[in-house]
Amino acid sequence: MSSSGARVLIVGGSLVGLSTAVFLAHHKVPVTLVERHPSTSIHPRAVGYYPRTAELLATVGVEEAAKAAAAGFEKHKTRAGVESLSGKVFFAKEELEGGDELADLTPSTLLLLPQDRLEPILRARAEELGADLRFSTELLSFTQDDEGVSAVVRGADGSETAVAADYLVAADGPRSSVRESLGAEREGRGVLSRHVSIAFGADFGAVLGERRYSVVHVENNKVTGILVHDDTLTEGTLIVGYDPAKGEGLDDFTDARCTELVSAAIGSDEVEVTIRSRFPWDMAELVTGDFVHGRVLIAGDAAHQIPPTGGYGANTGIADAFNLSWKLASVLEGTAGRALLDTYQDERRPVGVYTAQQGSLQLAVRSRTATEEQRAATHDAMRVTMGQAYPSGAFVDEEGAERLPLTSDPRDLRGEPGTRAPYVVLERDDAPVTTLDLFGDGFVLLAGAEGGSWAEAAATAASELGLDLTFHHIAPAAGEGALTDVEGRWAEAYGVGAAGAVLVRPDGIVAWRTREGVPAGERGRALGAVLRTVLAR
């Protein structure tokens, strides 16, 4: 048996596994990924990525490629309920209605791009950054101890390889073999229904005309399901349910039966249909009790199964990977203590529980079964994906501050520790620079107009702790190379005074802030103490 090594072994090469590989490689962590399938997904599956996810992809140089690939879907923003594509329209609503009004919150937009189009982009970027991606490779077993993880994998030729790693990330989906081998229990409402995604070819052009849909809810006397079509108008996916309690099963979905269902959803027997493949899956609300098991960390659908109604599953999983990757990188490079990884559980599990519940609430609303109480508890997508405030984790709370709810309208947030650092447009040498452009590598310290002396504190703390910490002085007037607050929004957006400072983590989350300046002699010590707390040192 041959052997190899990596700092991190990722099991699962779908969206979350590939995202983890990209994010870790971005932080220069040697990573090996194993995926039992021969290549990336052949099924469209997830189709929408909210602006916060696009921000994360921008950090690692993926957003522009994804936007280019999504160009053909720019007009596919109508979610509708129909009798069929050629029949009555029951309702129609724009995805992220009022999206043009988000410019004050984010430079990114909703990305409509099927998973089978995004995964190859992530794969290419991961390989470009040096990740070792092994498709047609299956995890057979693993063990862990205080020193690391030892795994055995089998390649396409049947040969077995021993892989040694410091940590293992389980991104192997809702039926995660890694999670099962750990005996990790899940909580929640369980499996809500069972479904089959039918991928097919058909010429939609004549039926759709000028219309373009992101998601279509179809309901007639022959089929009830969800249909999506691609930008070529020649391929689509129809999702239908089945009930084992009624004697229904996967064997019922023959090519002939699938063709009948697709034709009923299109509303025309004259459109030729070719069945490409079938993909069974369960709609469930389940969250793993522990995301951290020693040196094994669980992410994505392996950690939380979210009803797909709001499109939150892939977005939440990619956010898991972004949160986890900088923490793994910090621990591996020795700038953080191992306890920093425990904050992955502290921060992301509450989000997983909340988002799974929101998916169920969206399901009730869209199926028109929601009570008034459920409708009131259903939050909009921007609050769910961008308005999070971690209840505890790798940040320092402000003394005496009232704890925020788990999510809020992101416009109500003002740079509180544990929340996404706000988007503000600045200027450098007459060119626009946003605050989000400053984040993604190491820690960043931002200081206001009268906070220039924080530069020395940042240099001292970085030197003493041996970590990457960049200082930015945000001035009210232009100067060569300086960041200028041309709109005068920075201090208010971040909730500090002119002499205050804000510490932002590599993942763009506020780690600490001081509203006012402190005596110069204490600044280095105070900032160093904060960083030691955040990094569990």
Side-chain angles (χ1 to χ4, degrees), residues 74-291:
E74 286 183 356
K75 296 181 179 179
H76 296 219
K77 293 186 177 180
T78 302
R79 177 183 290 273
V82 303
E83 180 182 37
S84 68
L85 288 186
S86 59
K88 294 179 182 178
V89 177
F90 303 129
F91 72 86
K93 181 179 180 181
E94 295 299 295
E95 298 278 14
L96 276 187
E97 198 166 25
D100 292 342
E101 300 170 7
L102 299 176
D104 63 321
L105 279 177
T106 175
S108 296
T109 59
L110 176 71
L111 276 175
L112 290 172
L113 185 66
Q115 183 169 334
D116 60 338
R117 303 270 194 97
L118 179 58
E119 284 189 7
I121 296 172
L122 291 169
R123 177 179 182 174
R125 183 58 175 155
E127 291 174 337
E128 182 182 3
L129 292 172
D132 175 18
L133 308 184
R134 305 182 189 180
F135 287 83
S136 296
T137 303
E138 182 179 7
L139 175 73
L140 297 180
S141 64
F142 72 91
T143 59
Q144 63 169 314
D145 56 30
D146 289 341
E147 300 302 316
V149 175
S150 299
V152 177
V153 301
R154 181 170 56 210
D157 62 357
S159 63
E160 296 183 5
T161 302
V163 180
D166 293 277
Y167 292 93
L168 185 154
V169 176
D172 51 342
R175 297 181 178 87
S176 170
S177 63
V178 175
R179 185 193 64 232
E180 294 302 312
S181 69
L182 291 168
E185 297 184 354
R186 295 192 288 174
E187 304 168 359
R189 295 173 60 203
V191 175
L192 306 178
S193 53
R194 301 189 187 280
H195 299 265
V196 175
S197 292
I198 305 167
F200 63 91
D203 185 354
F204 292 103
V207 176
L208 287 174
E210 296 300 315
R211 297 172 298 165
R212 299 292 183 270
Y213 292 113
S214 58
V215 176
V216 182
H217 300 258
V218 178
E219 185 173 354
N220 58 52
N221 59 4
K222 292 184 178 180
V223 62
T224 297
I226 295 175
L227 186 148
V228 296
H229 62 81
D230 77 343
D231 55 344
T232 70
L233 308 187
T234 62
E235 293 185 357
T237 301
L238 176 67
I239 301 171
V240 293
Y242 67 96
D243 188 352
K246 296 180 180 179
E248 299 169 351
L250 293 175
D251 292 341
D252 297 333
F253 292 93
T254 62
D255 281 359
R257 175 60 175 155
C258 289
T259 300
E260 180 184 358
L261 293 171
V262 170
S263 294
I266 294 173
S268 173
D269 292 329
E270 296 180 3
V271 177
E272 183 178 353
V273 173
T274 302
I275 303 302
R276 294 171 51 217
S277 61
R278 286 162 288 270
F279 177 76
W281 56 278
D282 296 339
M283 181 183 292
E285 182 192 317
L286 287 166
V287 181
T288 304
D290 294 303
F291 288 15

